[in-house]
Every structure is written in structure tokens, then in C-alpha cells.
Amino acid sequence: MQKRALGRELDVFPIGLGCMGMTHGYGGQDEPDAIRTLHRAVELGVDFFDTAEVYGPFTNEVLVGKALKPLRDKVKIATKFGFRIAETIDGPKQEPGLNSRPEHVRAVAEASLRRLGVDYIDLYYQHRVDPDVPIEETVGAMAALVREGKVRALGLSEAGVATIRRAHAVHPIAAVQSEYSLWTRDPENGVLDVCRELRIGFVPFSPLGRGFLAGAIRSADQLGKNDFRRSLPRFEQENIERNLAVVAKLEKLADAKGVTAAQLALAWVLHQGDFIVPIPGSRKIANLEANVAAAGIVLTGGEVAEIGGLVTPEQIAGLRYAEAAMAQTNG
């Protein structure tokens, strides 16, 4: 299958793998199962894996590094920095706020390299734009890591158009990562256009609406007590019930095409441009295999428009994040 370009530095399989849920956010899973899933992804042709220091914190990078070490020459690993993380007597804990000061950029990059057990990071993202540090200073520090061979390519996450342009003027940005799916279209407000213009890859996280567009979540009671979706407005029970009506329409259309709702949702994202590489998270091998198969679904222009009109953000009840987290997006 033809690969897709993330900037000028990286060519990857059209669908990557978001690894967060293997240790963080959704309750995690046993390490042997996670490693089997990661290895199966490589067998299927997936070569782009996404993690971050804050996932755990730190445990996700350790897992990804351990699993992919024997396959290093076949994969590209992306990780992210930018949140505040403190060492406590109970272990590392995320603290409120952001930190993208240049000296911090270097320190956390060195730590990520150690945890991943690699000589270089393929794609290094600023996880959220820090309003207290000019993007030029942060990207300048990131670019120094490229010159030293510790990082291959640079990325931004949840950045707005003006920030992307300013960052790209300092050093080429290979990829912008933001939430994007049928039920979250924020990047259509200029970000996708600037990525096309500047030849920047776009990496949608949560392209299946954190699993909701797959149709498996019918009640908040299905979410574990440590599942962070419990803190998201869209997963409050009242909103789940309203949003299920939208998913039902997607399921009906998917049945008619002989695919699953999740596959149709992923195919729609993939058809938004050949510079787009979604990273659905999969903990189960069966779901991974189904997601990878979605890369082979061909849609006509009419079908893309039909799907995009069937499920729209205007029909969805609830914000994608609580207000405090929303304030850290689109910097």
C-alpha cells in the first residue's frame, strides 16, 4: 500500500497506532497483550507509533520502547513533551500547566530517549502550545536536537494556524497532530489548509471519537473507574444517549457498504487528504486488524460528502474536553 508523507522527512503507512491506551487513559492492559498488539501491527505493515512522556507518566514510552526495540529498523516512533510532570514519593505525577522552555525541551528529550531505548526520536512533538514561551524559542530548542541527530523531524499538537506558520518559519514542521474525526472538525478551520500549503503532514488522534463512533459504548457504566473519558462531557450519560442516535445513522450506512461503522469513520478521515495519517488506538488485535483494513476502503466523492453530512459536530452533545483542557488547544 502506498505510504503517506509527513513533511519531507518521514514516509509511513496510511494508518498509525496510537499507543496511549495501552498504559494510560482507558485503564491500560497487561504488558504481554500490549506487546503482542504492537508486534501484530508491524506484521500488518503499520510502521508509525505514537506515545508521549505524559502517558503514565513515562510508562507508555517504556512499553513502546521495549516492544519495538527488536523491530527498530522497521518503525518510526513519535513522542511528545510539554506538560509539567513532578517526581513524588508515589512516582511521577502530572501537574497543572505547561512547560516548553528551551532548557526543559532538551532535558525531557534526553529522558524520552532513555525510556524508549533509542538513539533518536523519529518525530518529536510539542504536546500543547505553551502560552508563556514564544513558539520560536521552543522550536529553536527542538531544532537543535535535529542538528545533533537526536530527533529526525518536528511536530506540533493542537496548534493553531498562526502558531504553525511561526514554528515552520524557524524549522520545517513535519506533522501537526490534533483531534479530528466525524464528530470533531476543529482542524477544518484553517489547520488542514495550512498543512496542505506548507506540505506538513496531519495526524488525527481519536479518529474514532475515543471509540464512540465504533458503536460499542452505550453507557457510561461501561467505562472503568480510571477511564479518563468519564471526565469528558461527551461521555456523560445524558450526552451518550443523545449521541448514540448519530452513531446509529453511521452504522446503517456502514452496513449497506459491508463494513463496520469504525471502518467507515476511518475511511472518511483518510479521504480528507493524502497528507493525513490517523492514529487510532487499539488494544485488541481484532480491532487493530479492522482498522488497518480500513486503509483499503475506497469511497467516491459523493460517498465522502454523504458520510460527512450524516455525522457532524453540530449534532453532537457535549464538548470534547472539559473547559480547562479546551483552553490548552488551538494555541
Side-chain angles (χ1 to χ4, degrees):
M1 184 172 291
Q2 185 173 357
K3 294 194 173 187
R4 296 190 170 195
L6 298 178
R8 294 171 172 81
E9 297 87 352
L10 303 174
D11 292 314
V12 298
F13 190 80
I15 290 179
L17 181 61
C19 302
M20 181 187 79
M22 293 176 171
T23 64
H24 179 76
Y26 304 139
Q29 68 184 131
D30 291 339
E31 182 179 285
D33 290 338
I35 291 175
R36 279 191 288 270
T37 299
L38 288 160
H39 288 176
R40 179 59 178 151
V42 177
E43 290 173 359
L44 293 169
V46 175
D47 56 4
F48 181 47
F49 296 84
D50 182 271
T51 183
E53 63 163 358
V54 78
Y55 300 160
F58 306 155
T59 54
N60 202 258
E61 286 185 322
V62 173
L63 168 69
V64 170
K66 179 178 180 179
L68 297 181
K69 184 174 183 178
L71 304 166
R72 182 67 178 105
D73 61 335
K74 298 180 179 180
V75 301
K76 286 88 174 177
I77 299 174
T79 193
K80 302 180 284 294
F81 73 91
F83 287 107
R84 294 181 182 274
I85 301 171
E87 292 290 350
T88 74
I89 58 174
D90 296 319
K93 302 290 183 183
Q94 181 181 351
E95 294 186 324
L98 303 169
N99 185 351
S100 285
R101 296 192 311 274
E103 63 273 20
H104 184 69
V105 172
R106 174 170 294 278
V108 295
E110 297 285 0
S112 287
L113 286 165
R114 290 193 296 271
R115 286 189 291 269
L116 289 165
V118 297
D119 296 326
Y120 62 89
I121 296 164
D122 293 282
L123 179 57
Y124 197 44
Y125 291 101
Q126 181 191 39
H127 209 153
R128 292 291 186 272
V129 177
D130 188 339
D132 296 327
V133 182
I135 193 65
E136 291 83 359
E137 293 183 14
T138 300
V139 174
M142 296 166 71
L145 296 170
V146 175
R147 292 192 295 271
E148 294 168 15
K150 295 175 180 178
V151 169
R152 287 185 62 191
L154 305 185
L156 304 175
S157 181
E158 295 280 16
V161 172
T163 300
I164 294 168
R165 289 191 182 280
R166 288 168 56 196
H168 194 71
V170 176
H171 186 279
I173 299 300
V176 171
Q177 177 183 132
S178 297
E179 184 171 355
Y180 184 54
S181 67
L182 283 167
W183 78 347
T184 296
R185 310 275 184 93
D186 301 17
E188 293 177 0
N189 188 23
V191 169
L192 295 182
D193 288 338
V194 78
C195 286
R196 288 189 187 94
E197 175 192 340
L198 299 178
R199 293 182 62 186
I200 296 172
F202 184 75
V203 178
F205 69 82
S206 298
L208 299 178
R210 302 192 184 279
F212 195 85
L213 296 176
I217 299 173
R218 301 283 167 173
S219 168
D221 292 337
Q222 293 175 248
L223 306 176
K225 65 178 182 178
N226 295 324
D227 193 315
F228 97 111
R229 286 173 291 188
R230 286 184 171 274
S231 69
L232 304 180
R234 289 184 178 177
F235 289 87
E236 295 171 3
Q237 186 58 39
E238 180 179 349
N239 290 336
I240 285 177
E241 292 171 4
R242 293 174 60 185
N243 293 335
L244 281 172
V246 180
V247 174
K249 293 189 293 184
L250 183 64
E251 290 174 327
K252 183 177 180 181
L253 188 61
D255 285 343
K257 195 167 177 64
V259 298
T260 67
Q263 289 176 317
L264 197 61
L266 272 177
W268 180 87
V269 171
L270 286 162
H271 279 73
Q272 301 310 302
D274 61 5
F275 62 103
I276 293 177
V277 180
I279 50 168
S282 302
R283 287 180 289 174
K284 297 179 180 178
I285 288 177
N287 292 341
L288 167 71
E289 293 171 342
N291 289 345
V292 170
I297 296 174
V298 177
L299 301 175
T300 66
E303 288 174 321
V304 171
E306 180 184 11
I307 297 163
L310 196 67
V311 180
T312 67
E314 293 75 21
Q315 302 172 53
I316 300 301
L319 294 174
R320 64 186 180 103
Y321 285 125
E323 290 185 8
M326 284 297 295
Q328 294 179 337
T329 65
N330 198 33

